[in-house]
């Protein structure tokens, strides 16, 4: 466990004097380091220094900053050498020259004098600190703050000397972080490190969007080529010649093959031997006459460019000749980009690859590589299957998830139990637009690629219509009218002469037989909700849109009272609330009174709900009762709204986190609910958030706002898996939270649900506490009728 390093008052000064360093009084003064926001100091190399750990740290720091706010400040002590002292885009807080003994002592003094620093995270590679091992040992012994070591290399079968070094770091550390289970096992079994002292956080990876690959191929001059690739800082350890010797055999079967060698020579290798290794590779290319099949991209590629190349790769080749290589960021990035991978059996690869997502070859075996590459290039379906399996395998390693894991652990070490503060992502409509055709929004996607074969539904297009209206309200941008028109026309397509709606439409724009086998009341209710919402914007949208929506709504209403489905009735109440037409208030009351009777029938001392089970879309019921109260001011509706909603919240919130009722099992009256059940859907979280917005805007109870924030944080990682549900790269939302993983498909229901939640949480944060009679767009019928105006003067 972590052992704090305590010093007598003058001990540190005495140590520094013995080391020949005079304590800098200005550094220790409160004026130099005023106590402020807690800081976590990362000791690491940093770009533009060209090394894998520099890129790793930059990505981690960026992910932490993008995902969280106001918890702690990330600051950097940049590692340099006598020969590597780059010009930084942003000046680090501190600089440590690892070639200079005195620099370690000065850095330790500066860290101890800065009382804002609550935690020190050292990105550790033995080569970083080899020039001054004693300086490094005294450095970590002197630092007073807790230290976490992140080991990028863990060597098996250590010497006694190496074992002692690692054990000293372990004894000094609050914890050790490694990136693979294999590395943890080596530390525990061969270095005698306690297992509870080691945390595994996999190497982070980037989210990618696989759109417009044809355009990317054209721009990179890769048209009509089958792409093999490898990337990273070039050295003989990568054993690239194995692939070169395989190319002639591969090219016989696949003449269009092109092997991309992406990356410049490692700076350390340049200093040691210049471009000797690259020149040897070029010589092999000439000798084998394979120049038409090999392209060197001699650049240290920006991550965006690198991810483009990986997305265009048909087969990625990882040919390291180091059997002890603990982890590879390049390997992780290739897998997370969906590349089928052929790999040598380094420990990291053996942990992640199996027959479903890659192929192993022996070290330096070009014949096996050629055979494996030909087999994969021959089989497009297998490559697609491997790609899908790789994306699922690596989803949990996204940098946002890595940031969550690191920050949660940092807070444990710092004993910070305050709520995590997630940063609200920027609004991103890319995936919604990609999923939308001139007909409407497509039902499902394969990962992030729209699957037109699944057709369209009224359900999705009704939700999309509401979201498009809210986007317009937010931006006042007339460009949103096009989306509103598209979704509105889809609802018009689904309305039947009898006033009811059909739900399922195939890609040939035909109504499917599924409409004949399902109860479509919920779909009709959602349509009424959406149409009412459009009508509520009468004063700001074109007359043509208003008239079209109002006409559809009036056509649907004459037979709507035949609907008895609980959630359908709730949706209808919401639609009539937004329409706010005096003539239709009696219809609203019919449905509200039905819900009242259901509530009274089921209510008991320990069950305060409308049915004898709680299933899906639950929050909409309580929200509908509050809408009914706002229209009629019948206090019975208000009491039921409050009682039922608070009862529901007591069932789905625990320890500051939402866990909606699972689609794998409902909550039944009189039975204990299994909270361990997986199967949480974004739509239920979004409906809860919409209801919390409504209740908060009406009653100004801060607990509703707190729970709204907790609900939105579910999308950002505040869930049982501590994984993101929203994909900031695509703008899509994953289809569900399962027991061990997220469902990576980003269909219309989940994506629109996230969008509704994102718009709602923004309104909640912007909502000022209304005065007694002030009514806001989020809580009020937009055009108060004279029928109920006098009643609504009373305080809510």
């Amino acid at each position: 466990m972590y052992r704090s390093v305590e010093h007598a008052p003058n001990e540190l000064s005495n140590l520094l004097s013995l080391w020949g360093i005079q304590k800098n009084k200005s550094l220790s003064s409160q004026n130099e380091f005023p106590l402020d926001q807690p800081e976590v100091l990362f000791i690491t190399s940093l770009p533009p220094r060209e090394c894998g750990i520099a890129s790793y740290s930059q990505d981690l720091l960026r992910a932490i900053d993008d995902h969280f706010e106001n918890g702690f400040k990330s600051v950097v002590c940049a590692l340099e050498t006598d020969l590597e002292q780059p010009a930084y885009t942003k000046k680090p807080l501190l600089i440590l020259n690892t070639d200079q003994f005195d620099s370690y002592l000065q850095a330790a003094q500066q860290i101890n004098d800065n009382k804002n620093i609550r935690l020190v995270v050292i990105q550790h590679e033995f080569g970083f600190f080899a020039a001054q091992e004693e300086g490094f040992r005294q450095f970590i012994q002197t630092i007073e703050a807790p230290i976490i070591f992140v080991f990028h290399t863990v060597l098996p079968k250590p010497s006694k000397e190496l074992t002692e070094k690692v054990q000293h770091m372990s004894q000094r550390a609050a914890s050790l972080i490694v990136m693979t289970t294999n590395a943890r096992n080596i530390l525990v079994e061969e270095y005698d490190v306690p297992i509870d002292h080691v945390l595994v956080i996999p190497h982070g990876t980037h989210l990618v969007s696989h759109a417009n690959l044809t355009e990317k191929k054209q721009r990179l001059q890769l048209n009509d080529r089958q792409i093999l690739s490898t990337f990273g800082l070039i050295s003989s350890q990568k054993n690239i010649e194995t692939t070169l010797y395989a190319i002639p055999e591969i090219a016989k079967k696949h003449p269009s093959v092109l092997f991309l060698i992406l990356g410049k020579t490692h700076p350390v290798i340049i200093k040691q031997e210049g471009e000797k290794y690259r020149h040897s590779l070029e010589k092999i290319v000439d000798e084998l006459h394979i120049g038409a099949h090999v392209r060197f991209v001699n650049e240290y590629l920006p991550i965006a460019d690198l991810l483009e190349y990986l997305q265009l790769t048909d087969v990625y080749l990882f040919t390291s000749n180091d059997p002890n290589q603990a982890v590879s960021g390049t390997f992780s990035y290739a897998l997370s980009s969906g590349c089928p991978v052929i790999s040598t059996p380094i420990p990291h690869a053996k942990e992640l690859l199996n027959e479903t997502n890659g192929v192993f070859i022996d070290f330096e075996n070009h014949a096996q590589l050629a055979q494996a590459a030909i087999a994969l290039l021959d089989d497009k379906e297998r490559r697609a299957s491997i790609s899908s399996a790789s994306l699922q395998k690596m989803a949990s390693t996204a940098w946002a998830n890595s940031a969550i894991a690191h920050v949660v652990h940092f807070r444990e070490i710092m004993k910070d139990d305050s709520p995590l503060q997630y940063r609200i992502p920027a609004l991103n409509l890319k995936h919604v637009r990609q999923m939308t055709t001139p007909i409407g929004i497509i039902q499902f996607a394969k990962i992030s690629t729209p699957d037109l074969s699944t057709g369209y539904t009224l359900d999705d297009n009704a939700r999309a219509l509401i979201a498009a209206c809210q986007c317009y309200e937010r931006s006042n941008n007339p460009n949103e009218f096009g989306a509103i028109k598209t979704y509105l026309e889809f609802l018009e397509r689904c309305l039947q002469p009898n006033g009811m709606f059909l739900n399922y439409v195939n890609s040939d724009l035909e109504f499917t037989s599924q409409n004949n086998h399902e109860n479509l009341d919920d779909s009709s209710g959602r349509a009424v909700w959406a149409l009412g919402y459009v009508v509520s914007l009468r004063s700001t949208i074109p007359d043509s849109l208003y008239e079209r929506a109002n006409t559809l709504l009036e056509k649907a209403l004459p037979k709507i009272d035949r609907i008895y489905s609980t959630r359908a009735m709730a949706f209808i109440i919401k639609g009539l609330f937004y329409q706010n037409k005096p003539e239709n208030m009696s219809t609203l009351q019919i449905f509200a009174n039905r819900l009242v009777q259901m509530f009274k029938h089921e209510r008991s001392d320990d069950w305060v709900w409308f049915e004898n089970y709680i299933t899906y879309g639950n929050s909409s019921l309580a929200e509908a009762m509050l809408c009914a109260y706002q229209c009629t001011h019948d206090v019975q509706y208000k009491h039921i709204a409050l009682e039922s909603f608070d009862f529901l919240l007591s069932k789905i919130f625990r320890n500051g986190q939402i866990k909606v009722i699972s689609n794998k099992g409902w909550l039944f009256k009189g039975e204990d609910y299994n909270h361990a059940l997986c199967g949480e859907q974004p739509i239920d979280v979004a409906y809860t958030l919409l209801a919390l917005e409504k209740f908060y805007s009406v009653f100004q109870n801060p607990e509703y706002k707190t729970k709204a924030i907790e609900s939105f944080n579910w999308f950002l990682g505040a869930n049982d898996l501590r994984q993101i549900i929203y994909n900031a790269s695509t703008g899509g939302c994953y289809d569900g939270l399962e027991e061990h993983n997220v469902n990576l498909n980003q269909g219309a229901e989940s994506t629109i649900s996230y969008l509704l939640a994102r718009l709602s949480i923004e309104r909640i944060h912007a909502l000022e506490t209304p005065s007694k009679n002030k009514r806001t767009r989020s809580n009020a019928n937009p055009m108060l009728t004279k029928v109920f105006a006098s009643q609504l003067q009373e305080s809510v």
Side-chain angles (χ1 to χ4, degrees):
M1 299 300 291
Y2 166 63
R3 299 186 317 193
S4 63
V5 179
E6 298 180 357
H7 300 278
N10 295 319
E11 185 176 349
L12 179 57
S13 297
N14 293 337
L15 283 170
L16 293 169
S17 297
L18 287 171
W19 295 335
I21 303 297
Q22 295 300 313
K23 186 168 182 177
N24 185 335
K25 293 182 180 179
S26 66
L27 289 177
S28 64
S29 70
Q30 290 298 311
N31 291 331
E32 180 70 11
F33 292 119
L35 285 174
D36 199 354
Q37 187 179 18
E39 295 176 347
V40 174
L41 177 69
F42 291 81
I43 299 179
T44 179
S45 58
L46 203 65
R49 184 173 176 178
E50 295 173 349
C51 79
I53 293 179
S55 298
Y56 170 94
S57 294
Q58 182 183 55
D59 289 334
L60 176 59
L61 288 165
R62 182 178 292 138
I64 291 173
D65 184 60
D66 287 347
H67 212 64
F68 298 101
E69 59 183 1
N70 300 330
F72 60 80
K73 181 180 180 182
S74 298
V75 293
V76 174
C77 173
L79 298 177
E80 296 184 350
T81 68
D82 289 343
L83 298 178
E84 291 182 286
Q85 299 180 6
Y88 302 101
T89 304
K90 181 180 179 182
K91 184 179 179 181
L93 179 70
L94 303 172
I95 290 175
L96 170 57
N97 185 332
T98 57
D99 286 340
Q100 298 297 322
F101 183 88
D102 289 356
S103 185
Y104 284 100
L105 312 183
Q106 290 169 340
Q109 176 186 326
Q110 291 173 311
I111 293 168
N112 289 343
D113 286 342
N114 185 344
K115 300 309 177 185
N116 293 330
I117 295 175
R118 310 291 176 83
L119 179 65
V120 174
V121 180
I122 299 178
Q123 302 292 340
H124 184 272
E125 178 66 58
F126 287 101
F128 276 164
F129 309 106
Q132 294 290 344
E133 291 187 356
E134 179 58 23
F136 178 67
R137 190 190 71 80
Q138 295 185 12
F139 172 70
I140 64 174
Q141 192 64 34
T142 303
I143 293 173
E144 296 169 354
I147 297 175
I148 294 174
F149 289 99
V150 182
F151 280 139
H152 290 257
T153 297
V154 179
L155 295 174
K157 300 177 182 178
S159 65
K160 180 180 179 181
E161 180 184 8
L162 180 57
T163 300
E164 290 174 350
K165 289 179 182 177
V166 171
Q167 287 179 343
H168 175 254
M169 285 186 280
S170 175
Q171 290 164 4
R172 175 61 190 89
S175 72
L176 308 180
I177 292 176
V178 294
M179 299 177 201
T180 66
T181 302
N182 178 72
R184 181 186 62 189
N185 292 342
I186 292 173
L187 285 175
V188 172
E189 296 168 9
E190 301 187 38
Y191 291 85
D192 200 25
V193 175
I195 192 169
D196 60 357
H197 202 51
V198 187
L199 177 66
V200 178
I201 301 180
H203 194 296
T205 58
H206 293 274
L207 298 170
V208 296
S209 174
H210 291 268
N212 300 318
L213 296 186
T214 301
E215 181 274 330
K216 292 176 182 178
K217 270 201 166 187
Q218 291 175 345
R219 178 162 43 82
L220 295 171
Q221 299 179 338
L222 299 174
N223 285 348
D224 303 318
R225 305 300 296 266
Q226 288 182 296
I227 305 301
L228 311 177
S229 75
T230 192
F231 85 90
L233 292 169
I234 304 300
S235 70
S236 59
Q237 181 181 317
K238 288 188 174 294
N239 202 241
I240 294 170
E241 57 268 30
T242 297
T243 301
L244 296 180
Y245 287 126
I247 291 295
E249 189 68 24
I250 298 171
K252 286 179 186 177
K253 185 71 184 292
H254 294 277
S256 67
V257 73
L258 178 64
F259 176 39
L260 300 177
I261 302 171
L262 307 169
K264 62 193 300 185
T265 302
H266 198 293
V268 174
I269 303 299
I270 290 285
K271 291 169 188 172
Q272 293 173 348
E273 60 181 43
E275 289 285 9
K276 179 181 177 181
Y277 181 63
R278 182 182 295 275
H279 292 329
S280 73
L281 297 177
E282 292 170 345
K283 183 178 179 181
I284 293 172
V285 172
D286 291 339
E287 290 174 349
L288 297 177
H289 307 291
I290 55 175
H293 301 288
V294 179
R295 182 186 300 178
F296 289 88
V297 181
N298 187 16
E299 300 176 47
Y300 189 77
L301 292 169
I303 191 62
D305 295 346
L306 173 61
L307 293 177
E308 280 195 346
Y309 277 113
L310 290 177
Q311 289 173 70
L312 300 175
T313 293
D314 294 291
V315 181
Y316 184 81
L317 305 172
F318 185 82
T319 53
S320 169
N321 59 12
D322 180 3
N324 296 324
Q325 186 171 349
V327 67
S328 167
T330 63
F331 179 83
S332 295
Y333 285 4
L335 273 182
S336 66
S337 296
C339 298
V341 174
I342 298 173
S343 176
T344 51
I346 69 163
H348 191 192
K350 287 193 289 186
E351 202 162 296
L352 292 176
L353 283 189
N354 55 42
E355 65 278 0
T356 68
N357 68 338
V359 179
F360 281 116
I361 61 169
D362 294 333
F363 292 103
E364 301 181 356
N365 193 321
H366 67 268
Q368 287 183 3
L369 191 152
Q371 182 181 10
I374 290 169
L376 285 173
L377 293 174
D378 281 345
D379 194 340
K380 185 176 181 179
E381 288 187 6
R382 186 183 177 205
R383 295 202 310 273
S385 175
I386 288 175
S387 177
S388 179
S390 294
L391 289 171
Q392 186 65 66
K393 181 79 173 180
M394 300 300 290
S396 63
T397 68
W399 275 117
N401 291 331
S402 181
I404 294 168
H406 279 89
V407 169
V408 168
H409 186 55
F410 295 168
R411 286 159 53 88
E412 289 172 351
I413 301 300
M414 294 188 290
K415 296 180 172 55
D416 181 355
D417 58 359
S418 61
L420 270 172
Q421 298 186 56
Y422 292 82
R423 192 181 299 276
I424 297 176
L427 193 66
N428 181 353
L429 300 178
K430 181 168 65 173
H431 191 57
V432 173
R433 289 169 178 156
Q434 180 176 289
M435 291 284 288
T436 300
T437 73
I439 302 303
I441 192 164
I442 298 169
Q443 184 175 193
F444 294 126
K446 293 179 179 178
I447 310 296
S448 61
T449 302
D451 186 359
L452 185 57
S453 69
T454 63
Y456 308 84
T457 68
L458 172 68
D459 290 336
D460 293 331
N461 281 273
R463 285 185 286 260
L465 178 55
I466 295 168
C469 288
Q470 292 184 355
C471 286
Y472 168 68
E473 289 181 284
R474 177 183 185 270
S475 67
N476 291 316
N477 187 343
N479 290 334
E480 301 292 349
F481 295 151
I484 294 173
K485 180 174 179 288
T486 295
Y487 303 134
L488 184 57
E489 287 177 347
F490 189 88
L491 268 63
E492 186 174 46
R493 179 189 299 274
C494 293
L495 181 62
Q496 301 303 293
N498 65 359
M500 301 302 287
F501 291 87
L502 296 181
N503 188 35
Y504 300 100
V505 178
N506 65 24
S507 58
D508 294 324
L509 307 186
E510 302 165 333
F511 291 111
T512 72
S513 60
Q514 195 171 353
N515 291 293
N516 303 324
H517 307 303
E518 292 188 12
N519 186 325
L520 302 181
D521 287 354
D522 282 9
S523 301
S524 295
R526 289 187 187 94
V528 171
W529 174 19
L531 292 169
Y533 203 99
V534 178
V535 169
S536 75
L537 303 181
R538 178 176 187 176
S539 63
T540 61
I541 62 175
D543 289 342
S544 60
L545 292 177
Y546 162 76
E547 294 292 348
R548 201 167 192 171
N550 196 56
T551 298
L552 292 175
L553 185 54
E554 291 300 326
K555 285 182 179 179
L557 289 179
K559 296 183 179 180
I560 205 79
D561 62 353
R562 300 178 182 179
I563 288 179
Y564 283 84
S565 170
T566 310
R567 280 145 197 81
M569 292 191 293
F571 296 143
I572 291 167
I573 290 171
K574 290 170 69 173
L576 296 175
F577 164 80
Y578 284 112
Q579 187 197 29
N580 193 39
K581 187 174 182 179
E583 300 92 308
N584 291 332
M585 287 300 106
S586 59
T587 303
L588 179 149
Q589 288 178 296
I590 288 173
F591 290 113
N593 289 335
R594 288 177 185 173
L595 291 178
V596 168
Q597 292 307 310
M598 293 176 67
F599 182 83
K600 289 181 176 179
H601 181 267
E602 295 297 338
R603 193 191 191 289
S604 63
D605 290 342
D606 59 355
W607 187 262
V608 191
W609 196 243
F610 302 87
E611 300 165 306
N612 65 352
Y613 48 75
I614 298 178
T615 57
Y616 65 93
N618 305 299
S619 299
S620 296
L621 307 185
E623 183 188 0
M625 294 308 297
L626 188 52
C627 288
Y629 165 68
Q630 288 184 282
C631 286
T632 66
H633 226 249
D634 185 329
V635 294
Q636 179 180 217
Y637 298 159
K638 180 179 76 169
H639 292 323
I640 291 175
L642 283 167
E643 282 190 86
S644 61
F645 194 49
D646 289 348
F647 173 73
L648 176 64
L649 296 180
S650 74
K651 300 299 182 183
I652 61 175
F653 282 88
R654 287 173 176 266
N655 302 318
Q657 179 179 307
I658 188 173
K659 184 176 175 66
V660 293
I661 302 301
S662 168
N663 63 359
K664 301 283 196 300
W666 307 134
L667 169 57
F668 288 92
K669 184 178 182 180
E671 295 183 8
D672 292 331
Y673 184 64
N674 181 7
H675 288 278
L677 284 173
C678 58
E680 297 176 67
Q681 303 298 302
I683 190 169
D684 286 314
V685 179
Y687 280 169
T688 302
L689 183 48
L690 293 176
L692 284 162
E693 178 191 1
K694 168 70 69 177
F695 277 77
Y696 176 61
S697 66
V698 172
F699 299 111
Q700 287 89 60
N701 182 342
E703 185 65 22
Y704 291 139
K705 181 176 181 179
T706 297
K707 283 181 163 51
I709 294 169
E710 292 168 354
S711 298
F712 186 72
N713 289 347
W714 181 89
F715 292 97
L716 307 182
N719 51 58
D720 282 357
L721 293 184
R722 288 181 175 168
Q723 291 186 30
I724 54 170
I725 309 299
Y726 169 65
N727 184 318
S729 174
T730 64
C733 179
Y734 298 136
D735 279 352
L737 186 73
E738 305 301 338
E739 184 176 5
H740 301 296
N741 60 275
V742 295
N743 180 340
L744 293 185
N745 294 326
Q746 297 160 50
E749 177 183 292
S750 56
T751 295
I752 294 298
S753 294
Y754 169 78
L755 178 56
L756 289 170
R758 168 62 180 78
L759 293 165
S760 176
I761 198 65
E762 184 176 279
R763 292 192 298 267
I764 289 171
H765 281 297
L767 189 64
E768 296 179 359
T769 302
S771 61
K772 186 174 182 180
N773 292 318
K774 182 180 178 181
R775 310 187 66 83
T776 65
R777 177 71 179 92
S778 62
N779 74 8
N781 212 326
M783 298 173 289
L784 295 176
T785 64
K786 293 181 180 179
V787 174
F788 300 107
S790 60
Q791 294 174 307
L792 288 170
Q793 294 305 307
E794 300 176 31
S795 169
V796 174

